């Protein structure tokens, strides 16, 4: 089964495709869709859609998970992220991919056992569970979202076992 995780953004949209087989998780692909300030606004949204749509067609995920939008002090940025998120949801919907939404604390709790974990703890656990070496934040967030969704309760159980032993 392949799960797509998305960390929505307007300038940097992280994505991660996780393959799960018999409780073993492997990163199939991950990276960023980047847009730049010197590009026209509508072209930036189209780039997010086109690149994500191409990735969906290439990897054919069975399901997806996307980070919920949280409000920030910068309303202008929040609105752009919300619009990018709409484009992302459109790409998932037209490709008939069911998705769930997760709050950042839910993902951190699922991956590390601590909803207030820092980025380094999340990255460490991703690398542990997938045998990879992810370093970049936006990509790691997307992979964490995919991993949390693909594993749901399994990783939390593993964390408890690790704490006990």
């Amino acid at each position: 089964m392949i799960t797509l995780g998305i960390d929505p953004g307007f300038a940097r949209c992280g994505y991660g495709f996780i393959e799960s087989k018999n409780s073993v998780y492997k990163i199939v692909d991950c990276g960023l869709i980047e847009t730049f300030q010197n590009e026209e606004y509508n072209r930036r949204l189209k780039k997010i859609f086109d690149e994500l749509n191409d990735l969906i067609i290439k990897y054919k995920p069975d399901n997806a998970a996307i980070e919920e939008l949280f409000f920030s002090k910068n309303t202008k940025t929040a609105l752009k992220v919300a619009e990018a998120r709409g484009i992302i949801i459109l790409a998932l919907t037209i490709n008939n991919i069911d998705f769930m939404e997760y709050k950042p604390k839910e993902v951190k709790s699922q991956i590390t056992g601590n909803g207030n974990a820092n980025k380094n703890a999340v990255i460490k656990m991703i690398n542990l569970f997938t045998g990879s070496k992810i370093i970049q934040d936006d990509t790691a967030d997307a992979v964490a979202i995919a991993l949390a969704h693909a594993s749901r309760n399994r990783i939390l159980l593993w964390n408890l076992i690790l704490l006990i032993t």
Side-chain angles (χ1 to χ4, degrees), residues 4-17 29-35 48 51-52 55 65-67 81 84 88 136-146:
L4 167 59
I6 303 171
D7 180 25
F10 186 64
R12 298 166 56 93
C13 177
Y15 65 87
F17 290 87
D29 190 12
C30 61
L32 293 173
I33 299 170
E34 293 186 271
T35 67
I48 293 167
E51 288 189 27
L52 181 60
L55 288 164
I66 184 170
E67 187 175 88
V81 172
I88 292 163
Q136 192 175 64
D137 288 352
D138 296 312
T139 302
D141 289 346
V143 171
I145 293 161

Side-chain angles (χ1 to χ4, degrees), residues 54-137:
D54 289 347
L55 288 164
I56 289 169
I57 290 167
K58 180 177 180 179
Y59 293 111
K60 297 174 181 46
D62 298 290
N63 54 58
I66 184 170
E67 187 175 88
E68 279 188 10
L69 182 62
F70 63 93
F71 292 98
S72 68
K73 292 179 183 179
N74 188 336
T75 307
K76 187 176 178 182
T77 300
L79 287 172
K80 286 185 177 182
V81 172
E83 289 168 342
R85 200 169 173 281
I87 291 295
I88 292 163
I89 290 171
L90 175 64
L92 294 170
T93 302
I94 67 168
N95 284 287
N96 296 311
I97 299 171
D98 291 330
F99 66 93
M100 289 188 63
E101 300 173 274
Y102 292 90
K103 291 175 177 58
K105 283 189 176 233
E106 289 175 305
V107 173
K108 290 176 183 180
S109 180
Q110 180 79 5
I111 298 298
T112 68
N114 177 1
N116 294 315
N118 64 29
K119 291 269 190 201
N120 288 337
V122 173
I123 291 170
K124 182 178 178 181
M125 293 306 283
I126 290 169
N127 291 339
L128 176 69
F129 289 123
T130 64
S132 65
K133 295 290 179 198
I134 291 186
I135 298 169
Q136 192 175 64
D137 288 352

Side-chain angles (χ1 to χ4, degrees), residues 42-58:
N42 60 327
R43 297 275 180 218
R44 292 176 78 178
L45 290 173
K46 185 178 183 322
K47 181 178 182 182
I48 293 167
F49 177 83
D50 288 344
E51 288 189 27
L52 181 60
N53 194 54
D54 289 347
L55 288 164
I56 289 169
I57 290 167
K58 180 177 180 179

